[in-house]
Amino acid sequence: MITCPSCTRAQAPALACAGCGAPLGANLDLFAALNLPRRLAIDAAAMERAYHDLSRRIHPDRFAAAPAAARDASMRATALLTRAYRTLRDPISRGRYWLELHGRKLGENNQRVPAELAAMVFETQEQLEELRESRTPENLAAARARRGEVAGALEAAAVALARNFAAWDADGEEADERRREALFTELKATLSKIAYLTTLARDIGRELETARAA
Amino acid sequence: MARIFGIDLGTTNSLIAVIENGAPRVIADPETGRTLLPSVVAITPGGGVAVGDAAIALEANPKRASVVIRSVKRYMGLGGGELGPEERRRYEFADLSGPVVRFKVGARTYAPPQISAEILRELKRRAEAALGGELVERVVVTVPAYFNDAQRQATKDAGRLAGLEVVRLVNEPTAASLAYGLEQLNDGYVAVYDFGGGTFDISILNIKGGVFEVIATNGDTHLGGDDLDQAIVAELLAGLPEAARADRELWNRARAAAEAAKHRLSTAESAQIRLETGAGALERTLRRADFERLAEPIVERSIECCRRALADAKLAPAAIDAVVLVGGSTRSPIVRRRVAEVFGRDPFCTIDPDQVVALGAAVQAGVLMGARNDLLLLDVAPLSLGIETMGGLMERLIHRNSTIPTSVTENFTTAVDNQTHVDVHVLQGERELARDCRSLARFKLGPIEPAPAGLPRIEVTFLIDANGILNVTARDQRTGREHSVDVKPSYGLTDEEIERMLEESIDLGDQDLEERLLIAARNDADQILAALAKQLGEYGNLAGAEERRRMAEAAKRLAAARSGTDRELISRLVEELNEASTPFAHRIMDEAIGAALKRKSVDEIS
């Protein structure tokens, strides 16, 4: 429980006081900042409503004439709210944040190209090299086909991510250690795969754009 | 509290506006009836100042000794080394090696914020005269969305030098969307295309339930109508010898002739230009097609920015529900045509593009005064912010198009045993290498207690406030002690310099100043007393008995002090009453939010 400095109401930690609406400097996790349950499946429209509703109440524009301490609290609370919305809105950054929230990092044991992607990564790089050297219709067509393949793989990875999220929401938080570890490993692998595929898609897109412009 | 005014501090023209009964209006000069103040400042060799038409009149005299400065906005926040050849050619500068460019006028020098302050002071004077003595002290000032930290800071400095409290900097395109009353769109995407005198901005917003959320912004702070003029001048003077082209006097006259021709070509098919040179008159007919050939590459640069903004917003042009035009340069048919082509729809241009930004600034001032609680702006930082890391790389901490205010916390440690300081270099920009980004500031963390390398943990919070300006705080994680962070901006004036400029400008006016401050304090007192009386009348049921007693106590004390002359006492009691009534005010606000959401206030401003 914390106490609101403006109206002294005791309450659970929140961004805005439940009594007087003053911004509170509470140190919250990003789910709590948006008043959301700690679940990975999020209704985007509901989250946006919560974000707008809280913004209306705690944004610095509402405290332009308030004492300095309230202005400062408003700015800090709004910065946290904004970060929460930006992070949780996108499933990929939401997944990364889930790891962070549980004291894990994507980067730690994940520097190498995921094994099942290695072949695709190297083939694509070769293809793009050939395309740079000569922009023949065959090379262009191959790059376009590759772009489609990568897009398909990204879609599949997004589905896998949603499946992992659903598993966490079903029983992940209460599951035994082994099950949790398996879910973490799967989450890391999926996020890492998405990161590589996104880079590939970007590189192919750029190369095709350059070819089109030339 | 005194009213808050909205100011568009433009490259070519500046305006001041205020919200009255929920609707914004531009305040005209009571003497001339004009609403636009040309952003032109003349400084005489003796240090006298003329602004607007008076400065233009001085400019017309070829024998004048004064220096006449136009487009000072182009110089805001720039270091001496950052001037382009065109900007360097137009005026004389002192000391181009420093962190601030300085115009040279005889033996004196002036930093750009000092020149801008003269424009602000003139707007303040006009508005006070027009409003019968009401003081103008708190303002919202608009800046191009793409202004960097130094340019924003310079704008705030100008306000301070003019004796104004800049309550908020608002991005120009965002302000324009407020002026159009686009909240009636309810759940739509809007593109604001703002082609001004010296800067270009494109912003893409999502508007939903009165919340204006900027999702992407792009632009070029050195792209504007000035460039169109210069393209015409270059064409006009192309046949002349180098010496003639370098003549500042001739160049200025050519620019004025080019600008006039450009304006005529917005409606006419051709324009005559006549320019007196040392070797006789230069006559030329400029057809619209000629002008459009010159303008095309410049307009295309703006279109490129639009494409980048759409890509950042992850939207196709067809997803945009409305396009708004802002800035005098959007009067050119070629600009309207290209914008319509890119977005596949005809743009809105029903509000005078010269006034729309100031009107929007007044609406935002209304929001800040609590007069428009139905609206809320969520703006973004236009540029990424990061720090220089080992090997001269830029590590991005806050990405461009992040909603502001926003903050990020980063841990720093030492690299060698017993290191006492850590140096941090803050950068702004999108490039990978630190040297390709713009240096924003440097600071030193410490003193750090002696410890083995890697052990100290200093947590640094980088916060971009609602004005888009960086604030840094640091805390030692082991001791929990706050570190003071002495941030040295890479560009711009230091606090000491601004203090000195302020002292110099006040000189004889001390008595006068005391009096103004007293009037201001009394105004504050009247305002808060009136507001409280009204609130207690309407929402008295929301205050507890004890709370009501405390507020009445504080109000009584303030009312007594208000008739005296101790302004510090008045200010302190205003603050006390403010504190005592804040929880009450919040409750009223909550109560009112639901109602405000439903209120149709769209019609009031469109």
Side-chain angles (χ1 to χ4, degrees):
Chain A
M1 297 294 270
I2 58 165
T3 307
C4 171
S6 303
C7 74
T8 70
R9 177 178 173 142
Q11 57 199 294
L15 264 193
C17 170
C20 68
L24 301 174
N27 213 0
L28 299 170
D29 76 64
L30 302 186
F31 289 94
L34 274 161
N35 248 330
L36 293 172
R38 221 189 242 212
R39 290 172 58 85
L40 279 164
I42 293 181
D43 172 4
M47 175 163 64
E48 189 185 59
R49 272 197 303 280
Y51 171 56
H52 284 175
D53 177 52
L54 278 162
S55 293
R56 285 174 174 287
R57 287 196 272 152
I58 65 172
H59 193 274
D61 282 6
R62 297 284 182 256
F63 296 88
R71 283 206 309 267
D72 195 60
S74 146
M75 188 164 71
R76 284 173 200 288
T78 308
L80 176 62
L81 174 66
T82 303
R83 189 155 64 86
Y85 181 59
R86 289 264 158 173
T87 306
L88 298 185
R89 187 173 51 174
D90 169 41
I92 298 163
S93 58
R94 193 191 312 155
R96 283 172 181 262
Y97 177 66
W98 190 257
L99 293 175
E100 195 186 306
L101 197 58
H102 292 85
R104 299 163 197 253
K105 264 197 194 141
L106 186 56
E108 273 165 16
N109 294 311
N110 240 312
Q111 300 295 349
R112 280 173 297 125
V113 183
E116 73 269 34
L117 284 185
M120 192 197 252
V121 169
F122 295 126
E123 278 169 31
T124 308
Q125 277 160 357
E126 237 166 80
Q127 263 184 333
L128 293 181
E129 192 56 45
E130 279 166 27
L131 179 62
R132 265 191 294 274
E133 275 163 20
S134 75
R135 298 205 169 95
T136 61
E138 295 76 38
N139 286 347
L140 276 170
R144 282 200 203 98
R146 182 64 77 181
R147 183 168 61 179
E149 190 189 338
V150 171
L154 265 172
E155 268 170 42
V159 171
L161 188 63
R163 220 171 27 233
N164 180 272
F165 283 3
W168 279 111
D169 289 346
D171 70 339
E173 287 281 50
E174 288 81 37
D176 62 39
E177 198 57 23
R178 255 190 54 217
R179 166 100 174 116
R180 284 168 58 86
E181 276 317 310
L183 283 177
F184 276 128
T185 308
E186 185 186 69
L187 178 55
K188 281 190 196 179
T190 310
L191 288 172
S192 157
K193 194 167 169 182
I194 290 174
Y196 274 98
L197 288 169
T198 308
T199 310
L200 272 190
R202 190 199 59 200
D203 290 350
I204 300 170
R206 270 188 194 161
E207 217 47 66
L208 283 172
E209 184 63 25
T210 321
R212 195 184 59 87
Chain B
M1 269 139 296
R3 285 206 282 181
I4 307 177
F5 293 76
I7 289 181
D8 172 7
L9 185 60
T11 307
T12 317
N13 293 300
S14 297
L15 301 87
I16 183 163
V18 72
I19 198 160
E20 266 168 14
N21 303 321
R25 72 171 182 94
V26 172
I27 302 171
D29 181 346
E31 284 155 38
T32 63
R34 288 191 23 141
T35 52
L36 293 185
L37 172 68
S39 303
V40 184
V41 177
I43 299 171
T44 67
V49 174
V51 182
D53 291 325
I56 294 175
L58 278 174
E59 190 181 38
N61 175 6
K63 293 209 188 82
R64 74 185 141 79
S66 316
V67 172
V68 180
I69 298 170
R70 283 176 177 268
S71 303
V72 63
K73 193 172 180 178
R74 285 201 155 203
Y75 299 85
M76 294 285 271
L78 288 189
E82 297 182 299
L83 287 189
E86 204 50 68
E87 279 125 354
R88 199 176 298 205
R89 184 204 306 236
R90 292 166 69 171
Y91 306 104
E92 252 190 87
F93 294 97
D95 178 26
L96 277 178
S97 62
V100 182
V101 296
R102 285 174 203 275
F103 298 98
K104 198 161 175 315
V105 183
R108 297 162 195 266
T109 64
Y110 293 85
Q114 288 175 285
I115 304 295
S116 291
E118 295 299 340
I119 299 170
L120 292 172
R121 228 177 255 135
E122 174 62 18
L123 288 173
K124 173 181 158 76
R125 190 198 61 70
R126 274 181 171 199
E128 288 177 349
L131 298 171
E134 178 183 353
L135 291 179
V136 175
E137 309 201 288
R138 305 173 76 214
V139 294
V140 167
V141 181
T142 59
V143 290
Y146 221 55
F147 252 21
N148 64 32
D149 192 273
Q151 291 167 308
R152 285 167 195 268
Q153 193 61 57
T155 307
K156 275 196 105 174
D157 293 344
R160 205 168 140 200
L161 290 169
L164 294 167
E165 184 198 340
V166 179
V167 187
R168 179 63 47 81
L169 298 176
V170 179
N171 293 333
E172 286 158 9
T174 324
S177 68
L178 282 177
Y180 266 98
L182 290 168
E183 60 273 19
Q184 64 192 140
L185 208 61
N186 204 19
D187 201 2
Y189 289 103
V190 176
V192 184
Y193 178 98
D194 179 0
F195 203 174
T199 57
F200 172 75
D201 278 322
I202 171 81
S203 286
I204 310 227
L205 294 92
N206 179 220
I207 298 173
K208 203 177 262 182
V211 176
F212 286 57
E213 190 180 352
V214 180
I215 43 182
T217 193
N218 208 294
D220 187 332
T221 54
H222 289 83
L223 173 64
D226 281 6
D227 295 286
L228 298 174
D229 301 344
Q230 282 168 21
I232 300 175
V233 170
E235 172 99 345
L236 206 56
L237 303 183
L240 300 185
E242 176 58 36
R245 274 183 286 151
D247 177 358
R248 198 169 281 148
E249 226 22 82
L250 177 64
W251 194 93
N252 279 331
R253 276 184 291 117
R255 192 208 58 77
E259 189 185 1
K262 177 185 74 176
H263 289 165
R264 282 201 298 281
L265 288 171
S266 290
T267 48
E269 282 302 320
S270 73
Q272 298 289 328
I273 301 179
R274 187 188 157 85
L275 185 67
E276 296 294 340
T277 74
L282 195 67
E283 290 200 49
R284 192 62 79 72
T285 303
L286 194 66
R287 288 171 307 151
R288 188 186 281 173
D290 300 327
F291 168 67
E292 297 198 341
R293 178 175 46 78
L294 294 172
E296 211 216 60
I298 297 164
V299 176
E300 237 19 69
R301 277 167 66 196
S302 78
I303 298 298
E304 204 35 60
C305 293
C306 294
R307 293 213 175 90
R308 282 198 293 267
L310 281 167
D312 280 350
K314 300 195 176 72
L315 289 175
I320 302 294
D321 299 295
V323 181
V324 169
L325 293 185
V326 186
S329 301
T330 60
R331 290 205 172 89
S332 284
I334 181 177
V335 173
R336 295 193 172 190
R337 205 167 59 232
R338 288 296 291 132
V339 172
E341 277 165 18
V342 169
F343 291 100
R345 63 174 59 245
D346 284 331
F348 283 6
C349 43
T350 47
I351 302 183
D352 180 347
D354 285 326
Q355 294 197 358
V356 63
V357 169
L359 292 170
V363 175
Q364 174 64 8
V367 171
L368 294 170
M369 285 186 282
R372 289 298 304 265
N373 275 335
D374 54 322
L375 302 178
L376 182 67
L377 266 192
L378 298 174
D379 223 318
V380 299
L383 299 162
S384 297
L385 181 129
I387 49 174
E388 178 169 354
T389 60
M390 295 275 255
L393 293 177
M394 150 90 159
E395 185 192 342
R396 230 160 274 178
L397 299 179
I398 295 176
H399 286 259
R400 74 161 185 273
N401 291 326
S402 293
T403 307
I404 52 174
T406 185
S407 70
V408 64
T409 300
E410 186 76 4
N411 286 312
F412 290 86
T413 187
T414 49
V416 295
D417 289 349
N418 302 326
Q419 188 176 333
T420 56
H421 289 94
V422 176
D423 289 306
V424 181
H425 185 195
V426 190
L427 305 160
Q428 207 166 24
E430 311 310 320
R431 305 283 295 275
E432 305 296 325
L433 294 180
R435 64 155 194 269
D436 295 330
C437 291
R438 196 162 192 279
S439 176
L440 198 160
R442 291 174 191 274
F443 60 87
K444 226 185 237 311
L445 289 174
I448 301 165
E449 280 169 37
L455 198 62
R457 285 256 176 277
I458 305 167
E459 193 183 87
V460 179
T461 301
F462 298 84
L463 187 145
I464 299 183
D465 67 17
N467 299 312
I469 291 177
L470 174 70
N471 300 261
V472 181
T473 49
R475 199 172 59 94
D476 193 312
Q477 275 199 318
R478 280 192 310 163
T479 62
R481 214 178 50 219
E482 293 279 332
H483 274 274
S484 70
V485 185
D486 185 17
V487 177
K488 288 218 181 347
S490 306
Y491 298 95
L493 299 168
T494 63
D495 267 358
E496 293 75 35
E497 281 175 296
I498 293 172
E499 286 302 329
R500 209 174 55 238
M501 288 171 180
L502 276 173
E503 276 165 28
E504 284 164 7
S505 68
I506 289 171
D507 50 9
L508 303 167
D510 271 358
Q511 173 73 42
D512 189 40
L513 182 74
E514 236 353 269
E515 213 170 290
R516 293 175 68 92
L517 290 172
L518 177 62
I519 296 173
R522 281 179 177 161
N523 280 346
D524 283 355
D526 293 350
Q527 202 103 23
I528 192 167
L529 288 170
L532 187 64
K534 183 160 173 274
Q535 289 166 346
L536 279 170
E538 284 176 32
Y539 298 100
N541 59 320
L542 294 178
E546 163 66 10
E547 189 180 25
R548 248 202 313 268
R549 196 192 54 74
R550 259 190 299 126
M551 289 191 287
E553 239 351 286
K556 237 182 286 171
R557 278 201 301 275
L558 175 58
R562 189 232 171 269
S563 44
T565 57
D566 185 349
R567 74 166 165 83
E568 277 175 15
L569 177 68
I570 300 177
S571 297
R572 203 168 62 239
L573 292 174
V574 165
E575 197 62 47
E576 264 181 35
L577 180 55
N578 194 14
E579 294 231 41
S581 60
T582 297
F584 176 50
H586 285 318
R587 254 172 273 135
I588 295 176
M589 206 173 73
D590 277 358
E591 185 91 351
I593 280 174
L597 272 174
K598 291 179 204 117
R599 194 171 56 218
K600 273 258 187 285
S601 27
V602 169
D603 310 335
E604 292 167 20
I605 63 170
S606 55

